[in-house]
Amino acid sequence: MPAKRDFYDVLGVAKTASATEIKKAYRKLALQYHPDRNKSADAEQKFKEINEAYEVLADPQKKQAYDQFGHAAFSPGGGAQNYQQGPFTYSYSTDNGGSPFGGFSDPFEIFEQFFGGASPFSREARIPRYGLTLSLLEAAQGVEKNVMIEGKRRKIKIPAGVDDGSRIKFPDFYVTIDVQPDRVFQREGANVFVNQEIALATAILGGTVAVPTIGGTVKLKIRAGTQPGTMVRLAGRGIPRLHGFGKGDQYVRLRVKIPTRLSHSQKVAVRQALGE
């Protein structure tokens, strides 16, 4: 059995690192290797290792013991079982001495720490936690999903506006949302950003272009003389605010398509138009 790595090496911090630096390093690595986000073969093992290191280094008493005695200060114990059922992944964990996720009752609890929720070191009785993957549009617009919960088919409603890492409580289980990246929309909170290519002639002379939004395609008027990189705001065309009112906005970045090949007559026309 391979020897355990030094906890400071696992998190990539110095032994003199502050609590803030340790937490920052942990958050970055935990999100990188979370099994629902990283499908590499060793992601789950690295995730467990990262959580185990953080549980010790984030606790002043445990950190002091580790600095003095190393891994010998702690004895292994506990255990967990992971399951896959339908679109969900979920985990139960014993709490009689330490879990394979370094003190986290399940691999989704990392999101509770970052987005609000119970302490990762609590040992209270827990109900099942499930992970559900959604597309960005499903998360933005809300969706109903038919899922299997402990052998029973259930229909659950996901509210519009949930974000990556959102945790939803149902009567007898929790669901943590994993939102997949979208090739068209980039999300920042309740706002959405879209890159829109326009022809050079449209940028110079003006016109209209069809622009995708969360709610469907809209026509956007392009003013004559529009410069490359211009940002246009579409008020209220963003994502519903989950814990507020109204919607965010959509921002359209205009990218002017420059022709790569022009005929001689076209070059002459451009020079004349530019006064050269």
Side-chain angles (χ1 to χ4, degrees):
M1 185 174 180
K4 281 190 176 183
R5 293 173 59 200
D6 181 87
F7 285 156
Y8 291 99
D9 289 342
V10 171
L11 296 184
V13 297
K15 289 188 176 181
T16 56
S18 66
T20 300
E21 290 171 331
I22 290 172
K23 183 176 181 179
K24 183 178 180 181
Y26 163 69
R27 174 172 180 165
K28 179 181 178 181
L29 290 170
L31 290 177
Q32 178 182 350
Y33 289 104
H34 190 282
D36 266 13
R37 303 164 67 92
N38 188 322
K39 303 303 181 184
S40 60
D42 62 345
E44 182 175 341
Q45 184 57 42
K46 287 185 177 180
F47 184 71
K48 294 176 184 178
E49 186 180 45
I50 291 161
N51 276 281
E52 183 181 12
Y54 181 70
E55 179 185 6
V56 171
L57 299 184
D59 184 301
Q61 293 181 338
K62 293 180 181 180
K63 182 176 183 296
Q64 183 179 5
Y66 180 73
D67 288 344
Q68 185 172 0
F69 301 107
H71 293 299
F74 308 98
S75 58
Q81 291 179 296
N82 298 311
Y83 303 85
Q84 175 76 36
Q85 189 176 64
F88 284 132
T89 57
Y90 65 102
S91 171
Y92 284 105
S93 172
T94 62
D95 37 46
N96 58 346
S99 82
F101 293 98
F104 289 83
S105 65
D106 60 67
F108 305 110
E109 193 166 309
I110 179 179
F111 290 115
E112 295 181 31
Q113 181 189 11
F114 299 152
F115 296 93
S119 163
F121 306 115
S122 94
R123 291 290 186 260
E124 62 185 11
R126 299 189 178 279
I127 63 176
R129 316 291 177 96
Y130 298 85
L132 181 61
T133 299
L134 301 178
S135 69
L136 186 144
L137 289 179
E138 287 177 326
Q141 298 172 340
V143 66
E144 287 189 349
K145 289 284 187 179
N146 290 309
V147 297
M148 295 295 291
I149 303 293
E150 297 183 346
K152 297 181 180 180
R153 183 173 294 277
R154 300 274 294 273
K155 178 180 285 188
I156 61 174
K157 185 174 182 179
I158 306 300
V162 295
D163 204 349
D164 193 39
S166 293
R167 186 169 65 105
I168 305 172
K169 186 179 186 302
F170 291 91
D172 50 354
F173 60 93
Y174 288 98
V175 170
T176 301
I177 302 299
D178 178 23
V179 181
Q180 296 295 294
D182 191 89
R183 64 183 183 84
V184 175
F185 301 102
Q186 292 82 47
R187 177 176 181 173
E188 291 186 13
N191 296 326
V192 219
F193 292 81
V194 170
N195 294 320
Q196 179 65 48
E197 192 175 80
I198 61 174
L200 178 60
T202 303
I204 296 172
L205 303 174
T208 59
V209 294
V211 176
T213 72
I214 295 296
T217 302
V218 300
K219 289 186 177 180
L220 177 64
K221 185 176 181 180
I222 307 298
R223 295 179 181 178
T226 292
Q227 300 299 306
T230 296
M231 185 87 79
V232 180
R233 173 174 170 258
L234 302 179
R237 289 284 184 174
I239 294 173
R241 294 185 175 89
L242 187 61
H243 300 295
F245 299 97
K247 298 181 179 181
D249 303 324
Q250 176 165 317
Y251 293 87
V252 183
R253 300 185 186 96
L254 298 178
R255 294 183 171 176
V256 179
K257 183 178 181 181
I258 306 297
T260 56
R261 294 182 180 180
L262 293 175
S263 65
H264 176 72
S265 60
Q266 288 174 325
K267 291 179 181 179
V268 171
V270 170
R271 291 193 180 99
Q272 289 176 343
L274 297 177
E276 295 184 359

